[in-house]
């Protein structure tokens, strides 16, 4: 069984890969994808080597074995005689350099600053106008209007809530008064029915299975990563 793999990689290849991916957004975390893929360092403290170090750590729950990265220059050879792997990196704004690019495109402006064009930034014209109403400019009138609207809205909502609150209190009082009388007259029946209802609603817990393994939650059994993990 494979326990550990050493990967001799060009340092520039590592850095260019990181630069191409570091700005991809991850809405679920309100952060970039590096907030998830860089482990304990997060997106703020992430670097190219920290990123790959976490991806190659078996403790992250995804790597099937420990991957040790040895960095160097692609034009040199390691002490053990290994070449440092390198490959062409596509900028995030460009489509992948596959033989067939059909259906592929580069990252959008939200995930790649290099993809942002000047047309993506709105060109707003500034107007220097000043409207006076009774010697008050438009800004003062807006503030006064908002305060007046808020005051009237608070009074109106308060009156409505008071009426609605009184109505609900009366209805709740009547309901629990009736329920109390029924429970006092037929205590055994009420207890038996309550236990039956609670048992019926809880019967599904017999077959409840809680899945906490992130691999089972996020990786499809037919995915390449799962197949390789099961193999190794």
């Amino acid at each position: 069984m494979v326990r550990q793999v050493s990967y001799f990689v060009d340092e520039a290849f590592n850095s260019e890969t990181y630069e191409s991916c570091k700005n991809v957004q991850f809405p679920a975390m309100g952060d970039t994808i590096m907030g998830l893929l860089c482990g304990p360092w997060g997106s703020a403290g992430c670097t190219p080597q920290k990123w790959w170090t976490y991806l190659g750590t078996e403790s992250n729950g995804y790597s099937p074995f420990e991957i040790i990265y040895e960095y160097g220059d692609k034009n040199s050879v390691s002490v053990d005689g290994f070449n440092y792997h390198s490959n062409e990196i596509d900028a995030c704004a460009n489509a992948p350099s596959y033989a067939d690019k059909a259906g592929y495109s580069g990252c959008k402006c939200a995930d790649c600053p290099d993809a942002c064009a000047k047309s993506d930034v709105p060109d707003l014209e500034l107007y220097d106008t000043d409207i006076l109403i009774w010697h008050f400019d438009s800004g003062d009138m807006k503030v006064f209007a908002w305060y007046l609207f808020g005051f009237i809205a608070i009074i109106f909502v308060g009156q409505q809530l008071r009426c609605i609150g009184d109505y609900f209190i009366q209805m709740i009082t009547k309901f629990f008064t009736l329920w109390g009388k029924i429970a006092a007259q037929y205590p055994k029946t009420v207890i038996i029915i309550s236990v039956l209802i609670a048992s019926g609603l809880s019967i599904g817990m017999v077959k409840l299975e809680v899945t906490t393994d992130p691999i089972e939650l996020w990786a499809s059994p037919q995915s390449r990563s799962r197949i390789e993990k099961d193999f190794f």
Side-chain angles (χ1 to χ4, degrees):
M1 176 180 286
V2 177
R3 294 292 185 184
Q4 181 176 301
V5 171
S6 294
Y7 179 20
F8 293 83
V9 59
D10 178 33
E11 190 169 1
F13 175 64
N14 169 237
S15 299
E16 291 173 8
T17 305
Y18 174 77
E19 291 296 327
S20 182
C21 301
K22 69 177 183 178
N23 292 307
V24 175
Q25 299 297 310
F26 188 49
M29 294 181 63
D31 197 357
T32 64
I33 194 65
M34 292 303 163
L36 174 67
L37 298 183
C38 216
W41 296 287
S43 60
C46 194
T47 64
Q49 292 190 9
K50 288 180 179 178
W51 174 34
W52 281 20
T53 297
Y54 179 71
L55 292 180
T57 303
E58 192 174 5
S59 60
N60 65 23
Y62 299 98
S63 180
F65 42 73
E66 201 78 14
I67 303 176
I68 306 300
Y69 295 95
E70 299 288 344
Y71 298 96
D73 186 87
K74 64 180 179 181
N75 297 319
S76 62
V77 180
S78 69
V79 178
D80 301 325
F82 293 99
N83 295 322
Y84 293 97
H85 174 255
S86 181
N87 203 349
E88 180 182 355
I89 299 297
D90 295 313
C92 58
N94 301 330
S97 55
Y98 301 134
D100 181 11
K101 294 186 178 182
Y104 295 95
S105 62
C107 295
K108 303 303 180 184
C109 181
D111 298 322
C112 177
D114 293 339
C116 298
K118 188 176 180 180
S119 58
D120 295 323
V121 180
D123 187 10
L124 303 177
E125 297 183 10
L126 298 178
Y127 294 92
D128 187 10
T129 58
D130 192 9
I131 302 174
L132 296 178
I133 302 176
W134 295 336
H135 303 289
F136 294 98
D137 61 22
S138 58
D140 295 333
M141 294 303 297
K142 288 180 181 178
V143 173
F144 174 76
W146 276 110
Y147 275 115
L148 180 61
F149 173 78
F151 178 74
I152 295 174
I154 290 174
I155 295 177
F156 176 76
V157 172
Q159 292 294 332
Q160 297 300 317
L161 289 177
R162 181 179 178 182
C163 296
I164 294 174
D166 292 342
Y167 174 76
F168 272 106
I169 289 175
Q170 292 178 3
M171 296 300 296
I172 292 173
T173 302
K174 291 180 180 179
F175 171 76
F176 280 104
T177 300
L178 177 61
W179 175 247
K181 292 179 179 180
I182 295 175
Q185 292 179 359
Y186 311 101
K188 294 182 180 180
T189 304
V190 171
I191 292 174
I192 293 174
I193 293 175
S194 300
V195 171
L196 290 176
I197 293 175
S199 301
L201 295 175
S202 305
I203 195 67
M205 295 179 63
V206 176
K207 295 186 177 182
L208 178 64
E209 295 182 3
V210 180
T211 302
T212 58
D213 187 354
I215 296 178
E216 296 293 336
L217 289 172
W218 302 110
S220 170
Q222 288 78 33
S223 65
R224 180 177 177 179
S225 60
R226 282 289 295 276
I227 294 173
E228 291 182 352
K229 179 175 176 61
D230 294 339
F231 175 78
F232 286 106

